[in-house]
Amino acid sequence: MKNNLTEKFLKYVAQTSDAPVGIEVDRAQGIYFYDTNGKKYIDLIAGIAVCNMGHSHPEIINTVKEQLDKYMHLMVYGELVQQPQVELAEKLCSFLPASLNSVFFVNSGSEAVEGALKLSKRYTGRNELIYFDNAYHGSTHGALSVMGNKAFKTAFHPLLPNTKAIRFGIEEDLQLITDKTAAIIVELIQGEAGVRIATVEYWQKLKQRCDETDTLLIADEIQTGLGRTGKLFAFEHYNITPDILLLGKAFGGGMPLGAFIADKKLMHVLTHNPVLGHITTFGGHPVCCAAGLAHLKLITDNDMWKNVEPMGEKLETIFWKIPNVKEIRRKGLMIAIDFQDTQTNFKTLDTLLEKGIFSDWFLWCDTALRIAPPLILNEEHLEEIENLLFVNFFQ
Ligand code: PMP
């Protein structure tokens, strides 16, 4: 412990649990980070699906430095024309279906959710919101209202009225979407639930039901977006186009940035009755947008999603060799290694950490290891992981 940093962390920095991981971080590079004692960790979680191009990518760092030299915050979102914001919005839209053509920048995933819920209510004139059991969309009040876990939300009641949970992947529940529903918010691959996947047919039926009832489909791609699942966006796996797309996490290239994206005709309702229907001071911060743009260029110029499935498959083969693994659920590099036993999971997590492999668990699935490495993972990294795991270890 240097300069009692950990002691001060525990004393002055508000804690989210009684058991933080508590590694004193010194620096990070590529798929690695290093603690203040010089110990190296392989980061198999990437800040929970954030650092898709790895840590400290030189192109992102240089772009950020260049922007810092020009200007930082100037004015609340939406008033001044700022190049990094405009370029990021244009570039993003160039990879999206024509109906996703207007980008509203915010600071985080939760804020993207808040904006989308408000937009849905305002556009449809309805107020019923539907979500999935075991959904996670963030921790603010609106996002909490559409969280699919009672234990986590009950303490904060009352939340938004007129919200309704349906079961993930169960076709018969789609009838609960009616002409009273403003929107259904979905994770196309459920994250905190422990990587849960539904069929193409299911998603197409869900979209069809939305169309029949004029219900907006909000796709929360805060975790699945930007290449993580083997496509730039997860909705591409299912041949559906959401009405509102949510981005966060990797979108800022390591800086805080979120967005909700829709057709201009929807987005327009936020400009009147009332004017300034959604306000953010820092949303679309120029430095964050510059980082996001550099990151998006790296992802798309290098077709990073093409590396995802082969690496995911190989990582899965390696993790099957760990004792007591009962099931692996995976889409690209979004992976749950399920021991179907909490104790075994946490014991394995500790052993991995000791060996210098950093991973995590899932909020609603504490029997499974969570693996979401940077998308730059390569064969040498895999070999290093395998050696760490099985030489003098799980053999
Ligand atoms: N939606 C999903 C699917 C998420 O995984 C998260 C974050 N884990 C959020 C929303 C909330 O994002 P943030 O923590 O940036 O508010």
Side-chain angles (χ1 to χ4, degrees):
M1 197 159 35
K2 285 180 185 153
N3 307 320
N4 301 322
L5 194 62
T6 298
E7 227 169 78
K8 290 179 193 169
F9 163 75
L10 294 169
K11 186 170 173 188
Y12 295 113
V13 179
Q15 298 293 304
T16 55
S17 80
D18 290 332
V21 180
I23 297 167
E24 281 188 21
V25 182
D26 182 40
R27 68 203 154 85
Q29 184 76 52
I31 69 155
Y32 308 106
F33 69 89
Y34 301 82
D35 72 13
T36 46
N37 295 316
K39 179 170 172 176
K40 177 167 112 172
Y41 294 87
I42 294 185
D43 185 359
L44 286 190
I45 196 71
I48 311 222
V50 171
C51 309
N52 283 7
M53 289 306 299
H55 299 287
S56 309
H57 194 289
E59 282 180 43
I60 299 177
I61 304 246
N62 288 337
T63 310
V64 165
K65 284 182 177 164
E66 277 167 28
Q67 183 55 41
L68 282 173
D69 285 339
K70 288 185 190 156
Y71 57 90
M72 293 169 69
H73 178 76
L74 283 177
M75 179 55 179
V76 295
Y77 171 74
E79 297 298 331
L80 299 183
V81 182
Q82 303 181 33
Q83 190 175 343
Q85 225 178 54
V86 177
E87 283 187 10
L88 177 54
E90 183 187 25
K91 181 105 189 146
L92 178 63
C93 290
S94 76
F95 295 106
L96 289 172
S99 58
L100 294 170
N101 52 39
S102 179
V103 182
F104 199 116
F105 287 104
V106 289
N107 303 286
S108 66
S110 298
E111 281 178 65
V113 171
E114 299 295 329
L117 298 182
K118 281 174 65 183
L119 175 60
S120 307
K121 288 165 73 178
R122 172 73 180 83
Y123 183 74
T124 60
R126 306 172 182 173
N127 59 42
E128 181 182 81
L129 299 165
I130 296 189
Y131 59 95
F132 284 127
D133 282 342
N134 293 318
Y136 184 88
H137 299 291
S139 212
T140 50
H141 264 95
L144 207 54
S145 304
V146 290
M147 177 186 275
N149 183 296
K150 283 204 179 77
F152 264 72
K153 55 200 271 190
T154 307
F156 304 102
H157 280 181
L159 297 169
L160 282 179
N162 220 0
T163 58
K164 198 156 77 182
I166 66 171
R167 291 170 296 173
F168 182 80
I170 306 289
E171 276 181 30
E172 93 191 58
D173 284 12
L174 298 179
Q175 291 313 311
L176 295 168
I177 304 171
T178 70
D179 59 9
K180 301 216 165 17
T181 314
I184 174 165
I185 182 165
V186 307
E187 292 164 274
L188 290 156
I189 290 132
Q190 286 195 307
E192 296 304 336
V195 187
R196 307 287 168 175
I197 298 162
T199 62
V200 176
E201 294 73 38
Y202 172 77
W203 287 114
Q204 290 187 349
K205 287 201 170 131
L206 185 145
K207 176 63 179 148
Q208 195 185 335
R209 184 66 190 154
C210 287
D211 291 345
E212 282 163 13
T213 56
D214 284 328
T215 296
L216 297 177
L217 172 58
I218 306 173
D220 177 344
E221 293 234 29
I222 288 161
Q223 206 167 134
T224 53
L226 299 163
R228 166 116 346 245
T229 68
K231 301 265 188 199
L232 188 56
F233 302 103
F235 68 76
E236 296 170 44
H237 289 292
Y238 304 110
N239 247 332
I240 54 168
T241 300
D243 298 292
I244 308 177
L245 172 69
L246 310 185
L247 295 179
K249 288 192 181 277
F251 185 46
M255 298 288 277
L257 187 65
F260 54 105
I261 301 125
D263 194 293
K264 212 169 183 55
K265 80 170 190 268
L266 266 80
M267 224 41 123
H268 180 64
V269 299
L270 293 178
T271 64
H272 59 281
N273 295 331
V275 65
L276 302 169
H278 198 66
I279 299 176
T280 162
T281 297
F282 286 121
H285 190 284
V287 179
C288 303
C289 283
L293 180 59
H295 182 260
L296 183 60
K297 278 183 185 159
L298 286 166
I299 296 272
T300 53
D301 289 353
N302 296 296
D303 294 345
M304 287 308 293
W305 52 88
K306 289 192 181 153
N307 188 44
V308 164
E309 187 51 33
M311 285 299 124
E313 218 176 282
K314 287 179 182 169
L315 210 50
E316 182 174 339
T317 310
I318 293 173
F319 273 95
W320 267 120
K321 295 187 205 158
I322 290 184
N324 303 312
V325 172
K326 296 287 188 316
E327 186 183 29
I328 296 185
R329 294 178 298 278
R330 182 178 72 79
K331 194 80 175 169
L333 282 170
M334 192 168 169
I335 312 172
I337 316 287
D338 207 327
F339 301 96
Q340 290 168 4
D341 174 77
T342 309
Q343 238 186 335
T344 310
N345 185 34
F346 283 106
K347 222 174 120 216
T348 310
L349 253 175
D350 285 346
T351 320
L352 289 176
L353 197 61
E354 222 173 273
K355 277 279 163 188
I357 296 179
F358 190 59
S359 128
D360 198 13
W361 47 288
F362 298 92
L363 270 179
W364 323 144
C365 182
D366 62 8
T367 61
L369 280 182
R370 174 183 204 141
I371 307 291
L375 312 187
I376 56 169
L377 207 67
N378 62 32
E379 298 285 347
E380 285 103 86
H381 296 141
L382 291 177
E383 204 175 308
E384 197 179 349
I385 292 164
E386 196 158 16
N387 284 340
L388 278 173
L389 283 177
F390 302 113
V391 176
N392 300 321
F393 189 33
F394 289 129
Q395 49 183 343

